[in-house]
Amino acid sequence: MRRMASHVLVLAATTAMIALPTGTAAQDTVAVAVEEEKEEEEVQEENPFRDFERLVEGAEVWPGFFDLYTKEGRLYLAVPADRLGQEFLMDMRVAQGIGAAGLFAGTTLSTFEMDLMAFEKHGENVLLVQRPHRFGAASDVRAAAAVSVSVGSSVVRSTDIEAIRPDSALVLDVTSWFLSDLSGVGELTRGAARGSNGQSGSTSFDRSRSYIDGVSSFPENTNIRAMLTFRSGRPGGVPSVADGRYIPVTIHYTLAKLPERPMERRIADDRVGNFMTVHKDFSSLDSTFFRRYVNRWRLEPGERVGDLRRPVEPITYYIDRTVPDEYRGWFKEAVENWNTAFEAAGWVDAIRALDLPEDADPNDIRYSVLRWNTSDDPGYGAIGASKVDPRTGEILVADILFEANGFRGFRNTWRNIVNPVTAAEAFEMALGVGEFQAPDPNLPGMELPGFGSALEAQGTLAGLVLAARGELDPGDPLPDELLRQYTIWLVMHEVGHTLGLRHNFRSSASTPLDRLHNTEFTGRNGVYSSVMEYPTINLARPGERNGDYYTYNAGSYDRWAISYAYTQSQDDANDIARRVSELGHMYGTDSDARGALDPTITRYDLGGDPLLWGAERTALIRDLLPKIPEYVLRDNSPFVEATNAYTQLMNEYARALAPAVKYIGGQYMNRDHVGDGRDPFVHIPKAKQLEALDLLVDRIFAEGALGLPPAVLQSFGANGYEHWGSTRTTSGRYDYPFHARTLELQSTVLNQILNASRLARIRDGETKFGTDQVATIPEIMASLTTAIWSELGTGTISADRRDLQRTYLDSMERLVVNPANGTPADARAVARWELVQLRDRIDSALSGASDVYTQAHLFEALARIDKTLDAGLEAERD
């Protein structure tokens, strides 16, 4: 374009010269100008790189993996000619967020696999393309040709060539590439712009308010930082955004060199919980074509130390400058505690923790960093994300984030609930059902919804138990040793994700219940056998000796899983996997927990007998509830602290009962292969199923099960502050909605017992294991009916019991009239039978009702049952 502009100038000058009188000064001036233009063209023909020289004159140069030039707000990138078509890696993450809506500093914007990119020249354009990497045909040329015409590259960005450098490198203006929504972060900004009513927000990228914020380039990676602005039509929104119309997000882009020598792959095994990189190999004889590889760091053997090897390069984590001084030592201890697991895999000094150098950028891909985030709206508690070479599963970098709220809330949570949930929600989260389950359990280090809230509730429970023992006064923070164990477990958990380990929600069942407080046993094996567990805090009843609160070293499962991934020999790894049936290797992950099938695969429980543990934990909490004012409130403290403490205790109460539901119609699920020692599914004895049902009846449905003394209810106060980030009400009420919250929990538990999948599984279990071996649908429904309607004939039914009985009728009506898909017909028939018998009992009890509330309630119940039975017959005919 510049050359075209000079030719136009020459033409205009010639025309002007023709129009001027000869011999004038003006004519001489134009002649000189034309001559100079001709000379310039001649010089340009002699010097084809003049455009480059002009381009970089006065520019700041950043040599490295890709050379960068910055000048007057524009960014230029040089692509050497011999690297056209050569693949490299690209990563994108939030460098500065807004502390809400998933926009937290350090958050990666893609899952494990870094994008595989390349520059391609087509005509006068250079394209940035993303290459596919999940499909191939390693050992069949014809199959590989078929794959190449089936799967193509995506053109991500395009630009003209600005100049050619003397070494033939193509110089591109890439300003518009990075000042755009190349990262896809705009989707998250729409969440930030969502209204208070939950309606989706709308944002658009604003180029005029965005700029290149900084660049750097090193021999093996190039970094570009861009401050982006997204416009929103909503002036309010997130309190941490100064002006809600303009949402600022800074994105850190990394272009990095692929490892020159691909790491040797480790074949994944479904018996062990490793994250995977998965390919489809169309030259494979396997019918699924899948090739699954363990995500792991590259460790290469160096000097021998006894029977172990010291790696040439250890796995190194850096503690960011944002981590407070009081936690830094614990963070380092947690990282290096993983060395015991690597010793089991044959390595010594395999992992270390260092302070991040003062001049280092925590977003630089050369550093795996543990960061401390402060969030206005906490979204995760902690995240342990890693990025891998998509060809092999080699972990290249880790980014671990910890929310300050997760530590502050745990230490003193009843004063300020950051992420309040109801007991019903806590129950469903622990059970792994409903809308609270994660959309993709294979996301790297993404903690599940409610994780932060569960940790806060554990802090409340610990504070009340210690107060009951006389070890804490109201308002005191938790002791340092408890905080230390909690911190080390949490950090080890997130580091474990970045070492390639998935969650293990079955590891708590590896510890016999009677050894939970045996520190000799837990010191070797852990309170639970894996730090990848979602545990609850290990607390003894008042008067009993407390053991370790948390597992704060690599447990027996951790040593096994790390050994599989990191032992040097695939043959050795195969032998390791066959040890799946050992008690200390129990494993069940996110997808297993969500099935509500196996009670040993449950979040926030402890011990080899989750049912007995749940009975003990709920008994402990029951003893604490009447003493909340005594243990929480002190002179001049706000009464809302009692309200908050009760809320958190009831959340823990609900979580402790989640395993009990899984016993009913449940089965123990094993990952063994043939010959490993166990069947894939083992039924839970009928006596244990009925014991679980009895526990739920006693702790949820029995009269007085969830009651509180009036004096405790009278101590519940409202929050005294109302402003952004704080509300005075609970579910819209200033006073605590005790009946509504109690009924919500009861209804949730009842619906889970009568869940269509569970009822179908019970019927299948009768055929699979024998009717005499499982709790049957008639036994379960009869037990619920008896417990929930136990007051019939006493003359008076209290308000909370009337509410529960109406909920029971709602559930039975759904079964009879509008059963969920998958509900067995036998369940519908038994539900009708229960209603018929209940109608006769209510009819007999109605005349003995001693108050109007009870009379009206029973009269209405009769009418509802009759209507349900009639409607059920109509539904069957339809």
Side-chain angles (χ1 to χ4, degrees):
M1 291 296 293
R2 281 191 292 271
R3 288 183 180 178
M4 288 179 61
S6 67
H7 288 310
V8 171
L9 178 62
V10 171
L11 179 60
T14 304
T15 304
M17 191 173 72
I18 293 171
L20 291 171
T22 60
T24 66
Q27 184 188 47
D28 293 341
T29 300
V30 172
V32 170
V34 172
E35 189 64 29
E36 288 177 350
E37 195 71 36
K38 288 179 180 179
E39 290 176 0
E40 184 177 339
E41 287 187 357
E42 291 173 1
V43 170
Q44 189 150 348
E45 289 175 3
E46 295 173 3
N47 181 7
F49 310 118
R50 184 164 179 79
D51 282 349
F52 170 74
E53 293 168 356
R54 286 179 172 177
L55 188 72
V56 301
E57 183 178 359
E60 194 166 1
V61 186
W62 306 85
F65 179 58
F66 285 109
D67 293 346
L68 300 177
Y69 303 86
T70 55
K71 179 180 177 182
E72 299 174 351
R74 306 204 68 79
L75 174 64
Y76 302 93
L77 181 147
V79 182
D82 61 353
R83 286 173 58 190
L84 288 170
Q86 189 178 108
E87 293 172 344
F88 61 91
L89 296 170
M90 189 169 182
D91 180 43
M92 294 168 278
R93 70 184 70 170
V94 177
Q96 184 178 53
I98 61 174
L103 291 167
F104 306 105
T107 304
T108 182
L109 293 173
S110 61
T111 54
F112 291 113
E113 299 164 348
M114 297 180 76
D115 295 333
L116 198 60
M117 313 297 289
F119 289 109
E120 295 181 1
K121 182 177 181 296
H122 295 274
E124 294 301 314
N125 289 340
V126 173
L127 310 179
L128 176 65
V129 300
Q130 184 171 345
R131 297 275 176 83
H133 56 262
R134 294 179 176 174
F135 304 90
S139 59
D140 187 326
V141 175
R142 295 187 184 278
V147 171
S148 68
V149 297
S150 300
V151 182
S153 299
S154 298
V155 177
V156 177
R157 289 291 186 271
S158 171
T159 190
D160 294 335
I161 300 168
E162 289 291 317
I164 300 176
R165 206 165 59 179
D167 63 356
S168 299
L170 307 181
V171 182
L172 316 175
D173 183 346
V174 294
T175 313
S176 64
W177 290 7
F178 297 101
L179 294 185
S180 71
D181 194 17
L182 173 63
S183 66
V185 74
E187 183 65 29
L188 292 176
T189 66
R190 285 188 277 279
R194 184 177 293 116
S196 57
N197 58 3
Q199 292 179 343
S200 59
S202 175
T203 61
S204 59
F205 176 67
D206 188 338
R207 170 67 177 82
S208 67
R209 290 178 171 84
S210 304
Y211 55 88
I212 299 296
D213 191 38
V215 300
S216 59
S217 200
F218 305 96
E220 296 191 354
N221 68 291
T222 292
N223 304 318
I224 299 165
R225 181 180 169 113
M227 203 299 290
L228 310 179
T229 297
F230 290 84
R231 295 196 63 155
S232 169
R234 200 180 300 275
V238 180
S240 57
V241 177
D243 186 328
R245 296 171 299 174
Y246 310 106
I247 301 174
V249 182
T250 300
I251 301 298
H252 182 95
Y253 306 89
T254 295
L255 287 64
K257 184 179 180 180
L258 274 165
E260 290 183 4
R261 178 172 53 87
M263 182 188 70
E264 181 181 346
R265 298 180 178 100
R266 170 59 41 84
I267 304 299
D269 193 295
D270 66 338
R271 290 168 287 193
V272 190
N274 302 112
F275 284 122
M276 299 178 295
T277 292
V278 181
H279 296 168
K280 265 195 172 183
D281 183 352
F282 289 94
S283 62
S284 168
L285 298 179
D286 189 328
S287 60
T288 68
F289 303 109
F290 282 120
R291 288 287 178 264
R292 305 175 180 93
Y293 308 113
V294 170
N295 287 358
R296 59 179 187 151
W297 293 86
R298 184 193 299 247
L299 287 179
E300 297 181 330
E303 65 175 320
R304 183 177 293 278
V305 182
D307 294 333
L308 307 178
R309 288 280 192 177
R310 178 173 282 115
V312 174
E313 288 290 337
I315 305 167
T316 303
Y317 290 84
Y318 293 89
I319 312 301
D320 190 32
R321 295 176 287 275
T322 55
V323 176
D325 288 340
E326 64 178 309
Y327 291 97
R328 298 183 72 83
W330 295 341
F331 271 47
K332 290 180 180 179
E333 183 179 352
V335 171
E336 295 181 353
N337 277 358
W338 274 105
N339 273 313
T340 59
F342 281 92
E343 288 169 8
W347 302 95
V348 63
D349 298 333
I351 185 169
R352 64 181 179 178
L354 303 174
D355 289 327
L356 185 68
E358 286 297 322
D359 60 347
D361 181 349
N363 295 296
D364 191 331
I365 198 173
R366 296 176 299 168
Y367 302 100
S368 293
V369 182
L370 283 70
R371 309 193 202 193
W372 186 272
N373 274 2
T374 54
S375 306
D376 172 58
D377 180 20
Y380 52 86
I383 295 176
S386 58
K387 305 308 282 287
V388 305
D389 180 345
R391 304 170 302 172
T392 63
E394 178 184 356
I395 300 174
L396 301 173
V397 67
D399 293 286
I400 306 177
L401 313 179
F402 298 93
E403 287 191 322
N405 294 313
F407 296 89
R408 182 192 66 194
F410 176 82
R411 196 166 196 171
N412 229 333
T413 188
W414 63 59
R415 294 182 181 178
N416 180 29
I417 297 179
V418 179
N419 260 341
V421 298
T422 67
E425 291 169 342
F427 176 83
E428 289 196 324
M429 291 174 188
L431 196 61
V433 299
E435 62 181 318
F436 305 105
Q437 62 191 18
D440 184 355
N442 201 47
L443 291 178
M446 293 299 289
E447 303 306 345
L448 300 177
F451 182 58
S453 293
L455 299 182
E456 291 174 357
Q458 291 175 30
T460 294
L461 179 59
L464 288 168
V465 169
L466 294 176
R469 295 178 187 167
E471 298 176 27
L472 283 184
D473 290 329
D476 284 352
L478 296 177
D480 283 347
E481 178 56 24
L482 172 51
L483 185 62
R484 170 185 169 271
Q485 292 187 25
Y486 165 81
T487 300
I488 292 176
W489 157 68
L490 183 57
V491 173
M492 288 193 72
H493 180 100
E494 300 307 332
V495 171
H497 279 315
T498 66
L499 295 174
L501 299 188
R502 295 191 63 174
H503 287 137
N504 183 359
F505 298 142
R506 200 181 195 185
S507 75
S508 56
S510 294
T511 304
L513 200 61
D514 61 359
R515 294 197 175 186
L516 281 175
H517 297 285
N518 182 328
T519 53
E520 183 180 350
F521 177 89
T522 59
R524 293 193 310 271
N525 305 288
V527 176
Y528 29 91
S529 65
S530 175
V531 294
M532 306 313 298
E533 175 71 83
Y534 270 19
T536 189
I537 186 170
N538 185 30
L539 293 168
R541 294 176 65 88
E544 299 177 2
R545 177 180 173 275
N546 212 103
D548 292 324
Y549 297 106
Y550 290 94
T551 292
Y552 54 94
N553 212 323
S556 53
Y557 168 84
D558 300 320
R559 296 192 293 271
W560 179 61
I562 288 292
S563 293
Y564 180 82
Y566 289 94
T567 189
Q568 295 182 51
S569 164
Q570 179 70 57
D571 290 339
D572 288 345
N574 295 339
D575 293 338
I576 289 168
R578 300 224 64 174
R579 296 171 54 196
V580 62
S581 62
E582 295 180 16
L583 179 63
H585 299 165
M586 297 183 76
Y587 168 60
T589 193
D590 304 66
S591 55
D592 303 320
R594 288 206 311 271
L597 172 66
D598 187 336
T600 66
I601 310 176
T602 307
R603 307 175 189 115
Y604 313 119
D605 66 336
L606 289 176
D609 187 339
L611 185 62
L612 181 54
W613 170 83
E616 293 179 354
R617 179 55 59 93
T618 50
L620 173 64
I621 294 172
R622 270 183 163 184
D623 291 342
L624 293 172
L625 288 171
K627 300 177 181 178
I628 285 177
E630 176 186 348
Y631 295 150
V632 173
L633 299 179
R634 63 202 186 285
D635 183 49
N636 204 33
S637 64
F639 283 101
V640 71
E641 291 183 4
T643 313
N644 293 345
Y646 170 75
T647 300
Q648 297 288 45
L649 278 184
M650 286 308 299
N651 289 353
E652 283 296 276
Y653 188 91
R655 292 183 183 103
L657 290 172
V661 174
K662 293 187 177 184
Y663 277 92
I664 302 169
Q667 300 170 47
Y668 299 118
M669 183 166 53
N670 299 312
R671 288 176 169 263
D672 298 42
H673 291 186
V674 176
D676 287 339
R678 297 176 299 188
D679 291 333
F681 295 96
V682 177
H683 88 284
I684 295 173
K686 180 174 183 174
K688 201 70 174 176
Q689 294 189 40
L690 294 177
E691 183 185 343
L693 184 59
D694 289 343
L695 178 65
L696 290 169
V697 165
D698 180 69
R699 303 297 155 91
I700 295 290
F701 302 122
E703 185 176 5
L706 300 176
L708 276 180
V712 176
L713 286 171
Q714 292 165 19
S715 74
F716 290 175
N719 178 22
Y721 298 104
E722 190 165 30
H723 51 73
W724 65 265
S726 178
T727 179
R728 294 199 63 196
T729 63
T730 301
S731 299
R733 286 175 51 177
Y734 289 103
D735 61 328
Y736 186 76
F738 176 73
H739 282 128
R741 285 291 173 87
T742 298
L743 183 62
E744 186 181 15
L745 174 59
Q746 291 173 320
S747 176
T748 299
V749 175
L750 180 62
N751 289 337
Q752 283 304 318
I753 295 173
L754 299 177
N755 176 271
S757 296
R758 190 176 316 284
L759 296 173
R761 201 156 53 225
I762 290 170
R763 228 175 47 129
D764 288 343
E766 293 174 358
T767 301
K768 189 174 180 179
F769 304 114
T771 305
D772 60 336
Q773 298 297 310
V774 299
T776 64
I777 293 173
E779 290 171 322
I780 292 167
M781 288 190 180
S783 179
L784 291 172
T785 305
T786 300
I788 292 171
W789 293 88
S790 61
E791 299 88 348
L792 285 178
T794 63
T796 302
I797 303 175
S798 62
D800 58 321
R801 299 296 288 171
R802 296 194 300 268
D803 287 343
L804 175 58
Q805 289 164 9
R806 292 185 185 102
T807 295
Y808 167 92
L809 292 177
D810 291 340
S811 298
M812 300 303 274
E813 179 182 344
R814 281 193 297 272
L815 281 171
V816 172
V817 179
N818 188 28
N821 291 337
T823 303
D826 281 344
R828 182 176 181 173
V830 173
R832 179 183 285 109
W833 173 248
E834 283 296 315
L835 288 177
V836 169
Q837 295 184 87
L838 178 61
R839 181 181 57 186
D840 293 341
R841 291 177 58 199
I842 293 174
D843 191 46
S844 299
L846 182 58
S847 60
S850 59
D851 65 275
V852 176
Y853 274 128
T854 301
Q855 290 173 339
H857 169 62
L858 295 179
F859 184 79
E860 181 188 52
L862 283 175
R864 288 189 61 182
I865 291 172
D866 288 338
K867 184 177 180 180
T868 296
L869 294 174
D870 290 343
L873 291 174
E874 290 294 327
E876 282 191 347
R877 282 195 287 270
D878 292 343

